[in-house]
C-alpha cells in the first residue's frame, strides 16, 4: 500500500537493527535462533541481546551472544550490560567475558531497581552508580561502540525532561556513541525530544525504538511501566480485532510501517526494532517498507539446518 511504502532512494540509506532477549528454555531457544536467522536476510546493521538487571540472565545472555557471534557468524551482535544490583568487580568480569566472545558493541544500561519497576533505585554498594558511570568504565576498556538508552516521553524516575536529557548528556560525554530510545508510537514526541537533545549539545545518533504490536494488551502494560503512551488512534485500530488474527496481524504491520515511513520523511535514517524474538510481524513490516530479502548464503543455510536438526532431536 502507498501509505507504507518507501521510494528506493529513501530506503537505500536506512539502517535497521534488531533486539532479542535470551531464551528461558529449549523451545524458546529454537524459536530465537530461527528468528535471528530469518531476520538476518534483511541485513541489519547490528543486533542486540538483552541482559537482566543484577545478572539475572547472565548465563543465558552470554550463551546467546557466544552462539550468535561464534556459531552463526553475526559479528555485529551487541551485548546489553546493566550495573544495578552488582559490585563493580562482578560487572567488570562479565564485560571481560563478553569481550572474549568477540563483542565490539555494548548497550550500557543502569537496569531496573532491584525491587522492580516503580520501586526506588539505590546504587549497589561498591557498584557503578548509574549508566553514565558504566559507560565511562566501558570506554576506558577500549575503542568500541557504546549505545545507551533515551526516553522521548521521559524516564518514569526522572523528575522532568531536563533531568532526563542531562543524564543522556552525561552518558555521551563519558563516551557513548549512540542512543536508542524506549519504544514510542507518537512521532511528534520523538521530534520534540530530538530538538531538545540537539539544543543540549548532544550530537550522537538518536535511534528510534520501534515496537510492532504483537499483543495490544501486553504492549499497553509495558507502556504503563515505562512511561510510554499508546495513542487512541492506534488502540482503535487493533482493540476490536482480538478474534481476527489475520486482520490484526495486517493492521499491526501497517501501523509499524507507517510510523517508520513518517519518521523517514522527517529525516530519520536509523531504526531499532524490538522483535520480541518473533520474526513474522517484523518481516512483514520490512517487506511493507519495500525491503527485499538478501539471498541466503551457504553458511546461513547450514545454520538453519543445524537449528532444525537440534529442534528435531529434542
Amino acid at each position: 500500500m502507498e501509505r507504507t511504502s518507501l521510494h528506493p532512494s529513501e530506503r537505500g540509506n536506512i539502517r535497521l537493527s534488531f533486539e532479542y532477549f535470551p531464551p528461558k528454555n529449549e523451545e524458546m531457544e529454537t524459536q530465537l535462533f530461527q528468528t535471528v536467522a530469518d531476520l538476518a536476510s534483511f541485513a541489519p546493521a547490528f543486533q542486540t541481546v538483552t541482559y537482566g538487571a543484577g545478572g539475572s540472565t547472565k548465563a543465558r545472555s552470554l550463551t546467546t551472544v557466544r552462539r550468535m557471534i561464534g556459531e552463526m557468524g553475526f559479528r555485529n551482535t551487541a551485548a546489553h550490560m546493566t550495573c544495578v544490583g552488582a559490585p563493580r568487580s562482578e560487572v567488570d568480569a562479565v564485560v571481560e567475558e563478553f569481550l572474549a566472545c568477540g563483542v565490539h558493541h555494548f548497550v550500557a544500561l543502569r537496569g531496573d531497581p532491584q525491587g522492580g519497576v516503580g520501586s526506588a533505585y539505590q546504587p549497589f554498594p561498591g557498584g557503578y552508580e548509574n549508566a553514565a558511570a558504566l559507560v565511562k568504565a566501558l570506554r576506558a576498556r577500549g575503542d568500541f561502540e557504546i549505545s545507551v538508552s533515551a526516553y522521548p516521553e521521559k524516564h518514569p524516575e526522572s523528575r522532568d525532561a531536563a533531568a532526563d536529557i542531562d543524564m543522556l548528556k552525561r552518558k555521551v560525554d563519558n563516551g557513548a556513541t549512540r542512543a536508542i530510545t524506549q519504544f514510542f508510537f507518537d512521532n511528534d514526541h520523538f521530534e520534540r525530544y530530538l530538538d531538545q537533545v540537539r539544543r543540549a549539545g548532544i550530537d550522537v545518533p538518536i535511534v528510534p525504538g520501534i515496537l510492532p504490536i504483537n499483543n495490544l494488551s501486553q504492549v499497553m502494560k509495558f507502556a504503563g511501566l515505562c512511561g510510554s503512551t499508546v495513542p487512541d488512534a492506534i488502540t482503535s485500530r487493533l482493540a476490536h480485532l482480538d478474534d481476527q488474527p489475520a486482520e490484526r496481524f495486517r493492521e499491526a504491520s501497517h501501523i509499524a510501517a507507517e510510523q517508520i515511513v513518517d519518521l523517514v520523511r522527517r529525516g530519520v535514517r536509523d531504526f531499532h526494532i524490538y522483535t520480541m524474538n518473533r520474526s513474522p510481524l517484523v518481516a512483514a513490516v520490512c517487506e511493507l517498507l519495500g525491503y527485499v530479502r538478501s539471498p541466503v548464503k551457504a553458511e546461513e543455510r547450514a545454520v538453519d539446518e543445524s537449528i532444525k536438526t537440534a529442534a528435531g532431536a529434542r
Side-chain angles (χ1 to χ4, degrees):
M1 295 177 65
E2 179 60 29
R3 61 178 176 161
T4 57
S5 62
L6 288 172
H7 189 276
S9 63
E10 294 176 308
R11 195 170 58 251
N13 62 350
I14 291 177
R15 303 196 324 161
L16 300 177
S17 56
F18 300 129
E19 181 168 301
Y20 303 103
F21 59 85
K24 294 181 180 179
N25 54 47
E26 291 182 350
E27 181 180 356
M28 292 176 69
E29 180 182 18
T30 298
Q31 176 180 300
L32 167 63
F33 290 114
Q34 288 175 335
T35 297
V36 171
D38 186 35
L39 295 182
S41 62
F42 293 107
F46 62 90
Q47 51 209 344
T48 74
V49 177
T50 64
Y51 183 89
S56 57
T57 67
K58 173 186 169 183
R60 290 184 281 120
S61 294
L62 281 163
T63 297
T64 301
V65 168
R66 187 177 292 114
R67 183 170 179 185
M68 287 170 67
I69 293 176
E71 293 182 30
M72 302 182 80
F74 298 134
R75 294 177 178 82
N76 60 350
T77 300
H80 286 224
M81 192 67 239
T82 65
C83 59
V84 68
R88 294 188 181 203
S89 58
E90 184 176 314
V91 174
D92 293 347
V94 176
V95 168
E96 291 301 324
E97 288 186 82
F98 276 127
L99 290 172
C101 292
V103 169
H104 299 288
H105 181 179
F106 286 93
V107 181
L109 308 166
R110 187 199 73 186
D112 294 330
Q114 286 184 284
V117 176
S119 62
Y121 169 71
Q122 293 292 333
F124 191 84
Y128 293 107
E129 60 270 28
N130 53 37
L134 176 59
V135 169
K136 185 175 182 180
L138 286 169
R139 176 52 66 221
R141 277 175 162 70
D143 184 19
F144 36 70
E145 288 282 323
I146 302 176
S147 295
V148 293
S149 58
Y151 300 86
E153 298 175 76
K154 189 180 79 61
H155 190 285
E157 296 175 38
S158 293
R159 84 174 166 273
D160 54 34
D164 218 47
I165 290 174
D166 179 64
M167 174 53 73
L168 176 60
K169 190 170 193 310
R170 289 168 63 189
K171 291 186 283 191
V172 172
D173 288 347
N174 282 354
T177 53
R178 173 192 297 100
I180 299 171
T181 78
Q182 179 59 270
F183 69 83
F184 62 92
F185 298 101
D186 186 334
N187 289 349
D188 289 342
H189 286 315
F190 176 79
E191 190 165 31
R192 284 193 293 269
Y193 177 74
L194 187 60
D195 286 344
Q196 294 172 321
V197 164
R198 297 306 184 218
R199 286 199 301 271
I202 300 168
D203 59 3
V204 299
I206 309 296
V207 181
I210 305 297
L211 178 61
I213 303 175
N214 275 294
N215 182 309
L216 179 61
S217 61
Q218 184 183 60
V219 167
M220 293 185 74
K221 180 180 178 181
F222 287 165
L225 291 171
C226 68
S228 297
T229 56
V230 184
D232 291 342
I234 287 179
T235 58
S236 65
R237 291 173 64 176
L238 294 171
H240 65 291
L241 297 175
D242 284 347
D243 59 349
Q244 302 176 58
E247 181 61 21
R248 185 181 66 232
F249 181 94
R250 189 199 71 83
E251 196 65 26
S253 64
H254 278 277
I255 288 169
E258 289 165 20
Q259 182 180 13
I260 292 172
V261 167
D262 181 63
L263 286 168
V264 168
R265 291 175 180 163
R266 297 183 192 215
V268 179
R269 292 293 176 266
D270 295 86
F271 297 91
H272 189 66
I273 301 180
Y274 297 103
T275 69
M276 304 305 291
N277 287 12
R278 299 177 181 176
S279 66
L281 186 53
V282 176
V285 172
C286 293
E287 287 164 359
L288 278 171
L289 294 170
Y291 280 87
V292 177
R293 292 177 181 272
S294 302
V296 178
K297 298 176 183 178
E299 60 268 27
E300 290 169 348
R301 283 197 297 271
V303 166
D304 190 49
E305 286 304 315
S306 70
I307 292 171
K308 291 176 181 177
T309 300
R314 289 170 178 160

